[in-house]
Amino acid sequence: MQHNAQGNRVGEEHAAPQGAGPPGTLLLEVTAVLAGVPVPVRLGAQTWGTLNPARDNAVLVCHYYTGTMRAAGVTPDGTPGWWDDVIGPGRAVDTDAYFVVCLNTLSNVQALDPAVVTTGPATRHPDGRPWGERFPAWDLGDLHAVQLQFMRHLGVPRWHAVIGPSFGGMQALQWAARTPQLAPRVAAIAASPAAGPSLRDAFAPLLRDVAASGGLEGALRLISLFGFGADGLAHTFTDADFGAYLRSRLGVASLPHVLDIGRAVLTHDLSQVCPPEHLHARWRDTGLTLLTANVAVDQFFPAAEMRAFAHATHAAGVAHTHVEFASPNGHLGCIMDTSAFAEALRALLESDRPHAVSPEVAAGEAHD
């Protein structure tokens, strides 16, 4: 158990594992300032691997929109963690070498799962009633500040890397923009430098409308349509029961949390954190090494958004490797087709110092 001067703590529910084996479980309890309002926050986390004596091998994995801290290993229902192909002994994120941590976000969608600890509109206010509409309208900067508190409570001076897919990639990019000296290696898989027209002008308004008329089931249908795309839905569910898939998610998901994260992702815009020319200079000065990988056909994050960003960073001398790949699963290729970027991710984590790379892209290829 670690405490700071304010009595905030990271509670260790199970001992951190040595190498392979069952993951450690942590509970973060802090007072966080969300949209200017102090809020008592509780977030659950899982860990894999061992923190070394120098405390310089910690990797923060940020989860996607409807994901949880269960990034690797075997989940309670017997299925693999959502990035189990990537995280583990000998894998791209090698738990024999790194101490890997995945922390639930604020307003985690799976809030009704009793093992998923989060704080959001559906959880209890100190007065005993749900927060509801009283829950502050937090943004990606607030979430970064909570994760920064988590890093400090772990006693880690800086992350070895911050990585994640989709909404997790947004979070990783926020680390790059806000505190690059604390995240020298950043990987954003299937994300963009800002919430673009697809998210801002199509998905977000549709989500609000569909939730109002179709409730949680309607919201999850819409998220699935954007996540898989029409081709992905046909690829996955032509011979499978889409209704059963939805029902499995309905039991643990919270509609207020679906809507709250849907609102929060719209606050993602690196140019609002720091103007591009200053951001690029900070990245050169701090030696940040950046990996981005995008799906060629993605309804949430068009690959062209990150491709243009990669051209700009390369022109500015930033160490940025960009990969594009095709996936039959649409946007969800970021968690279902990890072989397309696993070796680039391994190379990022093993890199000792930045190196200039070309952002020119072709399907399935990394350009160095």
Side-chain angles (χ1 to χ4, degrees), residues 192-242:
S192 289
S198 181
L199 276 170
R200 185 183 63 244
D201 301 325
F203 174 73
L206 281 171
L207 179 63
R208 292 191 294 268
D209 291 346
V210 168
S213 60
L216 178 60
E217 182 175 344
L220 293 178
R221 283 185 187 276
L222 182 68
I223 291 170
S224 298
L225 175 60
F226 271 75
F228 282 104
D231 289 341
L233 285 173
H235 177 258
T236 303
F237 294 106
T238 295
D239 298 316
D241 187 346
F242 182 59

Side-chain angles (χ1 to χ4, degrees), residues 180-181 277-288 316-319 354:
Q181 72 279 9
E277 61 274 16
H278 298 306
L279 187 63
H280 298 160
R282 290 181 67 195
W283 288 353
R284 289 194 307 269
D285 292 345
T286 58
L288 177 88
V318 175

Side-chain angles (χ1 to χ4, degrees), residues 29 160 170 176 265 295:
E29 295 181 280
H160 179 80
M170 287 180 161
V265 299
V295 184

Side-chain angles (χ1 to χ4, degrees), residues 12 24 42 44 82-83 93 97 99 118 130 138 143 155 158 183 198 203 206 228 240 244 246 282 284 317-318 329 341:
E12 190 169 2
R42 300 174 74 249
W82 50 265
W83 244 9
V93 185
F99 177 63
T118 187
W138 56 278
L143 181 56
R158 69 174 184 173
S198 181
F203 174 73
L206 281 171
F228 282 104
L246 282 179
R282 290 181 67 195
R284 289 194 307 269
V318 175
N329 300 298
F341 55 84

Side-chain angles (χ1 to χ4, degrees), residues 2 47 57 63 134 299:
Q2 297 177 353
T47 72
N57 69 330
H63 67 69
R134 297 176 294 170
Q299 306 303 321

Side-chain angles (χ1 to χ4, degrees), residues 68 222 226 274 321 326:
T68 70
L222 182 68
F226 271 75
C274 186
T321 296

Side-chain angles (χ1 to χ4, degrees), residues 1-33:
M1 186 81 69
Q2 297 177 353
H3 297 263
N4 69 3
Q6 287 74 42
N8 298 333
R9 63 184 183 177
V10 173
E12 190 169 2
E13 297 180 357
H14 302 288
Q18 303 297 313
T25 303
L26 302 176
L27 175 63
L28 174 69
E29 295 181 280
V30 295
T31 297
V33 178

